[in-house]
Amino acid sequence: MSILHTLPALGRSACTLLTTSSLLLLTACSSLDLPFAKRDAAGTLADAPTASGPAPEPRSARLALANVPKDNVPLAVEGARAPNAPSVITRSLSLDALRGGNTAAPAANDEDEAKDAAGPPTDPLRPEATLNLDDREAAKDLWGRVRQGFTLPPLESELVADHERWYASRPDYVQRMTDRANRYLFHVVEEVERRGMPSELALLPFIESAFNPQALSPARASGIWQFMPATGKDFELKQNLFRDDRRDVLASTRAAMDYLQRLYRMFGDWHLALAAYNWGEGNVQRAIARNTKAGLPTDYLSLNMPAETRNYVPKLHAVRNIVANPEGYGLALSPIENHPYFVSVPIQRDMDVALAARLAQLTQADFQALNPSMNKPVILAAGTPQILLPYANASSFMHNLSRHKGTLASWTAWVVPKTMRPSDAAKRLGMSESDLREINRIPPRMLVKAGSTLLVPRSQHREQDVSETVADNAMMSLAPDLPPMRRMTVKARKRDTVASIARRYKVSEAQVAQWNKVRVGATFKRAQAVVVYVPVKAARAVASRDDDDRPKARSRSTSSAKASAKNTRASTKVATTKPAGKAKAKARQVASSRNQGKTKATAPSRQQPRARVVAANSN
């Protein structure tokens, strides 16, 4: 009975103990960082409600974009990525999660530097939006989207068939082109469609550079769109010591579309606009004017053009036809997914290219294939505000960067305060002359002029990032490392040429031609003033020699004149005295011997002194 009375008390104690244990367990669980809890709370990007606007509307043949709060922009990547194909983003994460979930304050300044060195990845074409790649349109083949936008008028030319046969006979070449296009074609198509232009124009890099961003023509045209230096500057493509935006895929594509639209407005015909893109608008305008004056048609096929321009548009039509029906030419195009290959990661601190590639888990070659505009082994945040990385590699980059310890940049820029030899600059910077020459490509026997920018090791005395002024205007100017020169003006001798003057004063023919603004093969007139620059010591020696030579020449001339005059007087005396006496004696001999033949025979020999006098006077 006592046991039965005690059972309710024991039950109440057990219940109290279980309740207390449950509360303690729930409290402990609530403090844990459980990934499934975050996932359930965040949900998928497609299902997550937005705070700043309505749900995004799907677009046919395009990626859906969702407006999300700014603090939810960073994206994480799930799943493995096949070769040449970006991963699919399936959920959104906080910036701390993207950086590896390390929310603890770093213990060193280097960690603070690394934490603030980059911003959240974004779509470089739509930085304000977040991509929803969990969309059926993103999995489609980009080639189908390109075909739907073909609107160029047909071109009836046998040259089109010739180029079709050329490509069809080179499947390996076509494969290499399409493999390179896999990285860039989506962004080119996006830019073309955004402007309402024919999608054939997205294929133009196949003709220009085979989609090789490092392509450089003999005429110095560069990038996938082959911009000349002057044309690139006209369309705000920066070209300096650290970067060349003609090779930047996004910047050069924007400039190419601007240029093509301007040419289309000028000519009102896409074929003529393309001809002008290759040949220059001035040349096309003159060709049209010539045909108009002659009463001839002014369409593309009727103009008189160079062979390269005549084949330019037919080549593009050949590529268009192959893309429209590759099987008909016995070719296969590698599929390209209908979403961006890369994202943009803002760079906020200077960083070595090798380090950025390593943090992104990319080879340096693959990194530079997406960031080909960089000329030096360091990324300057002030001049290169973003880098492009594939999705999965962007996530790895942010994750590894947050844990990086040590300096980010081992190189920096130094503006030369005065003209100096590379050896003196290297000694001042604490590095070897050979390393300074190699990293800055300084040839032998050259001086670095004041105001030039050199790439130098980043030491404790140069911890600050490079300024925007230096990053945007960096240049290097060199001059021959020669002794002090003196300008001289000399008179050309008979038959003197640029080459003979150069040999005489031990300078190059190009220098003589440049100093006198003539051709290298030019000939100078006798006594023409010729400008030469010679070392100061040599100039003094030449001047001294000329000074010594002039009096001696006058002295010799005076002595010769005096000797000539003396000889003349002596000869004249002989001619006026001796021959007269001998003539009388001979006359008597002739008269006595009556031999006129001997007189005639001896007379010439007696007149020889007079002949010598006449010769001396004539000289």
Side-chain angles (χ1 to χ4, degrees):
M1 190 67 182
S2 61
I3 295 175
L4 293 176
H5 282 293
T6 58
L7 286 176
L10 291 174
R12 286 193 298 272
S13 300
C15 290
T16 302
L17 180 62
L18 288 174
T19 302
T20 305
S21 301
S22 299
L23 290 174
L24 292 173
L25 181 61
L26 289 173
T27 302
C29 290
S30 64
S31 63
L32 295 178
D33 187 9
L34 299 178
F36 68 85
K38 286 188 178 182
R39 183 171 182 176
D40 291 340
T44 61
L45 181 62
D47 298 332
T50 63
S52 59
E57 297 180 1
R59 296 179 300 154
S60 59
R62 282 192 171 192
L63 296 176
L65 298 176
N67 295 321
V68 298
K70 291 184 179 180
D71 59 354
N72 199 29
V73 170
L75 307 173
V77 180
E78 292 183 345
R81 183 170 65 89
N84 295 327
S87 300
V88 176
I89 297 176
T90 59
R91 59 192 176 94
S92 60
L93 294 177
S94 66
L95 182 58
D96 291 333
L98 184 61
R99 286 176 172 171
N102 182 14
T103 58
N109 291 333
D110 289 339
E111 294 183 15
D112 289 333
E113 181 182 7
K115 184 178 179 180
D116 299 330
T122 59
D123 178 6
L125 297 181
R126 296 179 179 84
E128 75 287 350
T130 301
L131 291 174
N132 175 21
L133 296 185
D134 192 20
D135 182 74
R136 293 182 180 180
E137 295 295 330
K140 290 184 177 180
D141 189 2
L142 183 63
W143 293 115
R145 179 179 170 186
V146 173
R147 295 182 189 108
Q148 291 177 359
F150 285 164
T151 57
L152 276 185
L155 187 70
E156 301 297 333
S157 171
E158 185 62 28
L159 292 175
V160 176
D162 291 343
H163 291 296
E164 289 172 350
R165 287 189 289 269
W166 191 92
Y167 285 114
S169 64
R170 292 165 175 81
D172 293 342
Y173 178 73
V174 174
Q175 183 66 41
R176 288 195 300 273
M177 287 198 305
T178 54
D179 286 347
R180 284 196 291 263
N182 184 35
R183 295 187 179 100
Y184 319 116
L185 187 58
F186 174 85
H187 292 278
V188 177
V189 172
E190 282 276 299
E191 188 70 26
V192 169
E193 286 187 352
R194 186 176 68 84
R195 298 170 183 246
M197 302 166 75
S199 63
E200 287 96 337
L201 301 181
L203 306 177
L204 202 57
F206 283 116
I207 312 304
E208 289 285 352
S209 61
F211 263 104
N212 179 10
Q214 300 288 357
L216 182 66
S217 75
R220 299 193 328 169
S222 184
I224 64 172
W225 296 97
Q226 289 291 282
F227 270 98
M228 294 290 289
T231 310
K233 291 178 181 178
D234 289 343
F235 288 91
E236 300 179 354
L237 295 178
K238 292 184 179 180
Q239 303 159 59
N240 57 40
L241 196 65
F242 288 94
R243 61 187 284 196
D244 187 345
D245 281 350
R246 295 179 299 159
R247 298 198 301 266
D248 184 289
V249 175
L250 298 179
S252 65
T253 299
R254 183 266 310 159
M257 294 302 106
D258 289 346
Y259 191 18
L260 286 167
Q261 282 185 319
R262 190 180 82 178
L263 294 172
Y264 181 72
R265 289 193 297 268
M266 185 180 297
F267 296 103
D269 179 273
W270 278 116
H271 290 162
L272 292 178
L274 288 166
Y277 186 88
N278 175 258
W279 191 25
E281 57 264 41
N283 291 323
V284 174
Q285 287 173 330
R286 284 186 286 272
I288 291 174
R290 285 193 296 267
N291 278 28
T292 301
K293 186 176 181 179
L296 300 174
T298 58
D299 59 289
Y300 174 81
L301 293 177
S302 300
L303 298 181
N304 184 16
M305 298 177 292
E308 179 184 343
T309 308
R310 181 170 298 282
N311 285 271
Y312 189 71
V313 176
K315 194 180 293 186
L316 179 62
H317 274 271
V319 172
R320 172 202 184 278
N321 295 340
I322 290 173
V323 171
N325 182 26
E327 296 82 4
Y329 299 91
L331 298 172
L333 302 179
S334 300
I336 301 178
E337 293 185 354
N338 187 33
H339 59 74
Y341 180 84
F342 49 77
V343 294
S344 168
V345 179
I347 294 297
Q348 298 163 359
R349 297 298 306 272
D350 293 356
M351 187 182 306
D352 286 348
V353 170
L355 175 63
R358 187 167 69 250
L359 294 176
Q361 297 180 346
L362 287 170
T363 65
Q364 198 158 330
D366 288 340
F367 180 87
Q368 289 183 327
L370 289 176
N371 302 277
S373 63
M374 300 174 187
N375 292 332
K376 297 296 181 183
V378 64
I379 306 168
L380 301 184
T384 309
Q386 65 181 12
I387 59 173
L388 304 181
L389 297 172
Y391 282 97
N393 300 93
S395 179
S396 299
F397 175 81
M398 300 299 295
H399 177 86
N400 294 329
L401 180 62
S402 66
R403 287 161 171 75
H404 175 73
K405 296 180 180 180
T407 59
L408 294 172
S410 57
W411 298 97
T412 189
W414 179 62
V415 179
V416 180
K418 63 178 183 179
T419 300
M420 60 176 60
R421 290 186 173 89
S423 58
D424 297 332
K427 187 182 300 182
R428 181 168 178 173
L429 296 166
M431 62 186 300
S432 69
E433 181 184 352
S434 59
D435 289 344
L436 181 68
R437 286 185 179 276
E438 182 180 0
I439 196 66
N440 291 283
R441 301 174 185 174
I442 303 174
R445 297 185 295 277
M446 298 298 286
L447 296 174
V448 182
K449 299 182 71 173
S452 298
T453 303
L454 295 181
L455 190 67
V456 301
R458 185 169 179 167
S459 64
Q460 295 180 353
H461 303 291
R462 289 182 290 272
E463 294 179 350
Q464 297 298 322
D465 288 346
V466 177
S467 67
E468 183 177 356
T469 302
V470 175
D472 286 342
N473 301 288
M475 48 77 67
M476 184 167 62
S477 181
L478 303 174
D481 187 3
L482 297 172
M485 307 292 282
R486 176 180 170 184
R487 186 180 188 273
M488 296 183 60
T489 303
V490 298
K491 289 186 177 181
R493 302 174 185 174
K494 188 177 181 180
R495 301 189 187 89
D496 254 345
T497 63
V498 169
S500 64
I501 294 289
R503 285 194 301 271
R504 188 177 307 150
Y505 293 96
K506 297 180 180 179
V507 293
S508 69
E509 297 179 17
Q511 288 175 316
V512 175
Q514 181 182 3
W515 294 333
N516 294 276
K517 299 179 181 179
V518 296
R519 295 180 297 103
V520 173
T523 300
F524 296 110
K525 297 179 180 179
R526 185 175 183 178
Q528 179 180 344
V530 180
V531 175
V532 293
Y533 286 84
V534 296
V536 172
K537 292 182 179 179
R540 291 172 181 168
V542 171
S544 177
R545 186 178 66 242
D546 291 345
D547 291 341
D548 292 341
D549 287 347
R550 289 191 187 97
K552 290 180 181 178
R554 287 195 299 269
S555 177
R556 283 196 300 269
S557 176
T558 304
S559 301
S560 299
K562 290 181 179 179
S564 177
K566 184 177 180 180
N567 292 336
T568 302
R569 287 194 298 269
S571 300
T572 304
K573 184 177 180 181
V574 171
T576 56
T577 57
K578 282 187 177 181
K582 288 185 177 180
K584 292 180 180 179
K586 192 63 180 176
R588 287 194 297 269
Q589 184 180 355
V590 171
S592 61
S593 62
R594 298 179 181 178
N595 189 354
Q596 296 179 356
K598 287 184 180 180
T599 304
K600 292 181 181 178
T602 56
S605 64
R606 291 171 180 172
Q607 299 300 321
Q608 285 178 1
R610 185 180 295 274
R612 284 197 295 271
V613 173
V614 173
N617 290 334
S618 65
N619 289 333

